[in-house]
Amino acid sequence: MDPISPTYSRAAILEAEDEEEGNGEFDGVEEEQVIEGDFTFRAVFTGLLVGVLICATNLYLGLQSGWVSMMALQSALVGFALLKVIPDALPRLFPRIRTFTPQENVILQTVAVATGTMPLAAGLVGIIPALEMMTVEQDGRGPISLSYVNLVLWCLAVAFFGVFLAAPLRRQVIIKEKLVFPSGTATAQLIALLHKAPPPSRGFATPTVAYRALSRSSRSLSRERGINGEQAANNHKGKAQDIMGGSGWWVLGISFAASGGLTLLSFMFPIIFSIPIFDLLGLPFGTYPASEWMWYFTPSLSYVGQGIIMGFPVTLSMNAGMLVGWAILSPLSKHMGWAPGKVSSTNDGARGWILWIALAIMIAESIISLLPITISYISTSIRHYKQRQTGPKVFQSSSPGNSMDGDYFEPLSDEDDDPEIEPPERLVPFSWIKWGLGGSGLLGVGLVWYVFGSDGIRPWATAIGLVLASVLSLIGVRALGETDLNPVSGIGKISQLLFAVLQPNNVVANIIAGGVAEAGAQQAGDLMQDLKTGHLLHASPRSQFYGQLIGSLASVFVSSAGYKFYTSVYQIPGPQFTVPSAGVWLNLARLLNKGHLPSHVIPFMLIFSMFFTFTSSIKSLRPYLSSYPLILNLIPYLPSGIAFAVGFLNSPSFSLARLIGGYVSYRTSRNNGGETPLLAIVAASGFVLGEGVVSVVMLCMSSAGLGPVSCFGCGLGDGGYCSGGCL
């Protein structure tokens, strides 16, 4: 949900721009250029190829650990390599007709992101597995398993509504309010760097993280900002040398090959990815082997790469949660008889017991983070309304091709209200938006009713879910633009709470309605990041709109096929793919529909939720604490509640591997102005993509009946890959 992008120091950007302005080559933001010809076949086709790769990676990572990535930065990097670096190196084999432009790269990464994020938008790593986990005893009906055709129809139901939601918000939040959208801004800076173009703006982006927890708690887990909310970023020229000198592409290729090779080796010898080194320690697990408590080590380069991109503070929070959840609360619940089942069980085992504490933490932090931006949005809307009512007005008539289909007026007194810089033919007509929202809404309501029937969710309830997505997406997009955090977890939980009243005693309706509302808000936020990137690099908004529609449509079939492929080969949930986010969705739906909590878990839920309510409130009040330097100095050291909770959801092996990557990020950033070097991020991208791509190869091998070469050392406790590969 999910990108870290290189950021540049304000001084470096201004210095570069001043030099270019002095030479008459670049006139900052005052002189806007319109670049034509960005929507090309090669950009769209390459974007689809890269998007399919990202889609496969996100399916694999999401089903395994509940964590995915938007990967806009990786899309731009790989696309640049495919259309610029490779033709330059092999001109006879890959001749270029014309120069690959930054604007084409924007379209490429837009298509790739729309294709790659469908597993999250359609709930293939959360909602759909949750429906398959239902039982007659607990939910009143058996599991719901969709066929490939019905899965395609479900994906079609939620694929386009968010795209049409994003288009009309662009003018307000990007043109008028100039929200920074840190990840989108930083991706634009990277594309400009790759193409040796002038820096796209005088602004700078705060460092962010690429990965999103599939509790859908956020667009990303943002690193804590410094005292003034601004941190030093990477040096522009140094980063350019890293990439342009060719070393970056060698690093990307080597890291991709290393990660893929290790993953393939683990398929042949599963013990590699479930090394029981903690059995030598014993404590705090008494006489039981540590592996029976899910303590083993997975040397996955993909998760090391995730740790590099997340950064040290986030991985520290995650590992703090891992220690509290898996080394303290898990043994406690088992020994006290509160979770008598198998440790790995999400029903009556320690894993299911601590999951409720994680859910309480996520809800507390998500809602608290949602409140300030909600208040800000309401107050801003009221202020703008009063200005429009009292200020002088200028009327502008619509014209053929105009982006607005009717007369509209603007208050002349609003100094922040800049005119649209794009000509009408490059904008998305307002009539398209109106018909698109209506058509995609009707399509969604009809397809959801067809797929799940009257026993699932009523058509009127689906329609309410879409309306809720429309309203809450305004808040989510604004939050994303200001903080790089989209509080879609809060949106999902609000939807589930609402539908517990609208359609009580219906777990299916509760899950689907929450997913529909969240999908629209999440997709609108993700696509708004792309529009910010395109705005800074002068790519056509209409071309990006086409790219988003094409990528979303293609991913409907790719994502559905990938999910059915995984479920046909592996047990889901199972030893290798635990699908932790599905448990969060299902357990909350059960609780809201006359469910009950495990024994003695409520006091722990209250204690941890109160603690993270407090820490989240302190972070939200940061702008008002300038008179309290002691508190401001402590804020960067407060743990991230979402990351802490993910430490509960994932088994320790994943968190430990991420901690290694976080430490690498910390060490490499010490001599780089406090920011992870771009070359390290390139290596991390190779690590993540390598394991994701080879996982598809492993899937094909498993479906063909191939298995491990040796199961030596397997069968120890709940050893993830090991036990899954050797069963």
Side-chain angles (χ1 to χ4, degrees):
M1 142 148 34
D2 258 70
I4 199 159
S5 305
T7 51
Y8 314 105
S9 67
R10 183 187 295 270
I13 293 176
L14 292 178
E15 178 184 355
E17 290 177 348
D18 289 341
E19 291 175 358
E20 288 155 349
E21 288 173 1
N23 295 329
E25 298 174 357
F26 182 67
D27 197 23
V29 294
E30 286 79 12
E31 181 180 338
E32 303 291 351
Q33 299 178 358
V34 174
I35 310 296
E36 301 295 345
D38 50 12
F39 190 75
T40 61
F41 173 79
R42 65 178 178 180
V44 174
F45 181 75
T46 308
L48 287 173
L49 290 180
V50 176
V52 169
L53 184 153
I54 293 173
C55 181
T57 301
N58 279 339
L59 261 177
Y60 171 77
L61 296 175
L63 292 172
Q64 189 176 82
S65 68
W67 206 264
V68 301
S69 171
M70 184 180 173
M71 293 197 189
L73 181 144
Q74 288 90 338
S75 300
L77 279 173
V78 175
F80 183 84
L82 292 175
L83 292 181
K84 182 70 167 61
V85 176
I86 294 178
D88 282 348
L90 302 171
R92 293 185 179 180
L93 295 178
F94 302 97
R96 281 207 320 268
I97 299 176
R98 64 183 179 85
T99 302
F100 179 50
T101 65
Q103 292 71 36
E104 284 182 285
N105 204 338
V106 170
I107 302 303
L108 186 154
Q109 69 93 25
T110 299
V111 174
V113 167
T115 307
T117 55
M118 185 57 66
L120 177 63
L124 300 181
V125 291
I127 298 169
I128 300 302
L131 294 174
E132 296 178 355
M133 293 165 59
M134 295 192 307
T135 63
V136 176
E137 295 78 13
Q138 292 180 281
D139 308 306
R141 63 173 301 166
I144 297 178
S145 181
L146 302 181
S147 66
Y148 174 73
V149 173
N150 281 342
L151 196 59
V152 167
L153 294 178
W154 158 253
C155 291
L156 283 172
V158 297
F160 305 114
F161 191 74
V163 177
F164 288 101
L165 274 181
L169 298 179
R170 171 188 170 275
R171 187 169 185 271
Q172 176 65 34
V173 299
I174 293 178
I175 303 301
K176 289 185 178 181
E177 300 181 32
K178 303 181 179 68
L179 297 187
V180 66
F181 287 95
S183 289
T185 297
T187 302
Q189 292 171 330
L190 174 69
I191 293 176
L193 183 153
L194 291 172
H195 291 265
K196 299 182 180 179
S201 73
R202 294 182 182 275
F204 71 99
T206 54
T208 60
V209 218
Y211 291 83
R212 174 187 313 138
L214 286 195
S215 59
R216 312 226 230 184
S217 50
S218 64
R219 154 68 183 79
S220 62
L221 295 176
S222 296
R223 294 180 188 168
E224 296 300 331
R225 296 181 182 180
I227 293 176
N228 297 320
E230 301 179 0
Q231 296 183 353
N234 301 324
N235 180 272
H236 180 72
K237 296 180 181 179
K239 298 307 150 197
Q241 291 175 356
D242 280 345
I243 294 297
M244 302 307 175
S247 60
W249 307 115
W250 281 106
V251 168
L252 182 66
I254 292 172
S255 61
F256 183 96
S259 180
L262 181 60
T263 305
L264 189 61
L265 194 64
S266 73
F267 177 83
M268 295 185 288
F269 304 95
I271 188 64
I272 291 176
F273 263 20
S274 56
I275 303 174
I277 59 174
F278 296 100
D279 288 329
L280 301 175
L281 302 177
L283 293 177
F285 309 102
T287 59
Y288 296 94
S291 54
E292 289 193 13
W293 297 87
M294 306 191 72
W295 280 83
Y296 43 85
F297 180 60
T298 300
S300 165
L301 291 179
S302 175
Y303 289 99
V304 172
Q306 287 186 9
I308 293 174
I309 298 176
M310 291 174 186
F312 199 41
V314 172
T315 56
L316 274 180
S317 294
M318 192 176 296
N319 277 265
M322 174 205 70
L323 289 173
V324 172
W326 291 96
I328 299 175
L329 297 180
S330 173
L332 177 66
S333 64
K334 178 73 172 181
H335 288 303
M336 296 298 293
W338 303 336
K342 192 176 181 181
V343 172
S344 60
S345 172
T346 57
N347 292 323
D348 59 352
R351 182 169 203 157
W353 195 87
I354 65 174
L355 183 148
W356 286 102
I357 303 173
L359 180 60
I361 296 171
M362 288 180 172
I363 293 175
E365 178 152 302
S366 297
I367 293 179
I368 292 300
S369 65
L370 190 66
L371 287 177
I373 198 67
T374 303
I375 295 172
S376 173
Y377 177 77
I378 293 174
S379 61
T380 301
S381 299
I382 293 174
R383 177 170 56 86
H384 285 175
Y385 175 78
K386 290 181 177 179
Q387 287 179 334
R388 290 175 182 274
Q389 294 298 315
T390 60
K393 302 172 183 179
V394 174
F395 290 85
Q396 178 174 329
S397 300
S398 60
S399 59
N402 200 331
S403 64
M404 301 295 291
D405 263 359
D407 293 347
Y408 66 97
F409 56 87
E410 309 293 347
L412 294 178
S413 59
D414 192 348
E415 297 178 357
D416 293 331
D417 187 15
D418 283 358
E420 175 63 71
I421 63 173
E422 294 286 354
E425 62 271 12
R426 285 164 56 91
L427 298 173
V428 181
F430 192 59
S431 59
W432 295 12
I433 296 170
K434 291 191 296 185
W435 284 102
L437 284 173
S440 61
L442 290 174
L443 179 69
V445 171
L447 290 179
V448 169
W449 178 80
Y450 176 82
V451 171
F452 294 102
S454 57
D455 293 336
I457 182 171
R458 304 294 175 83
W460 59 264
T462 304
I464 291 177
L466 293 173
V467 172
L468 195 62
S470 303
V471 175
L472 295 180
S473 66
L474 301 175
I475 299 170
V477 165
R478 183 181 296 276
L480 186 63
E482 295 178 358
T483 68
D484 210 40
L485 181 124
N486 192 347
V488 290
S489 178
I491 292 173
K493 302 304 176 287
I494 290 172
S495 301
Q496 286 189 276
L497 290 170
L498 175 63
F499 281 92
V501 177
L502 294 178
Q503 270 198 268
N505 304 321
N506 192 329
V507 173
V508 177
N510 191 275
I511 294 174
I512 295 173
V516 167
E518 192 181 56
Q522 172 261 318
Q523 196 174 27
D526 281 355
L527 298 182
M528 192 61 66
Q529 295 275 21
D530 294 334
L531 291 174
K532 178 67 175 184
T533 302
H535 172 70
L536 293 174
L537 293 174
H538 309 297
S540 166
R542 187 180 294 191
S543 296
Q544 287 190 272
F545 177 74
Y546 293 151
Q548 290 166 352
L549 291 176
I550 292 172
S552 296
L553 178 61
S555 192
V556 164
F557 302 97
V558 173
S559 300
S560 300
Y563 180 79
K564 296 303 291 184
F565 204 0
Y566 271 106
T567 55
S568 67
V569 175
Y570 295 103
Q571 176 188 348
I572 296 178
Q576 186 166 350
F577 297 100
T578 58
V579 204
S581 60
V584 174
W585 278 98
L586 182 58
N587 281 3
L588 181 59
R590 285 171 173 171
L591 178 64
L592 295 174
N593 290 273
K594 296 184 179 179
H596 64 276
L597 293 168
S599 176
H600 292 84
V601 77
I602 294 178
F604 292 90
M605 293 175 66
L606 291 175
I607 291 171
F608 281 92
S609 61
M610 288 174 63
F611 174 78
F612 283 101
T613 295
F614 172 75
T615 59
S616 183
S617 299
I618 293 296
K619 294 174 185 178
S620 299
L621 293 173
R622 190 200 325 256
Y624 310 101
L625 297 175
S626 57
S627 301
Y628 303 94
L630 179 61
I631 299 178
L632 286 175
N633 289 332
L634 290 176
I635 287 178
Y637 299 98
L638 295 177
S640 163
I642 300 299
F644 190 89
V646 170
F648 281 53
L649 296 178
N650 290 165
S651 59
S653 57
F654 298 126
S655 298
L656 290 169
R658 288 171 176 144
L659 182 62
I660 295 173
Y663 183 71
V664 170
S665 173
Y666 167 72
R667 293 293 299 178
T668 57
S669 65
R670 293 183 65 181
N671 298 323
N672 194 59
E675 288 302 310
T676 306
L678 180 58
L679 206 60
I681 296 176
V682 169
S685 302
F687 288 153
V688 173
L689 295 175
E691 186 168 328
V693 171
V694 174
S695 69
V696 178
V697 177
M698 292 166 50
L699 188 63
C700 296
M701 294 171 66
S702 297
S703 66
L706 300 178
V709 174
S710 171
C711 290
F712 172 77
C714 290
L716 297 173
D718 295 317
Y721 276 82
C722 191
S723 104
C726 291
L727 283 178

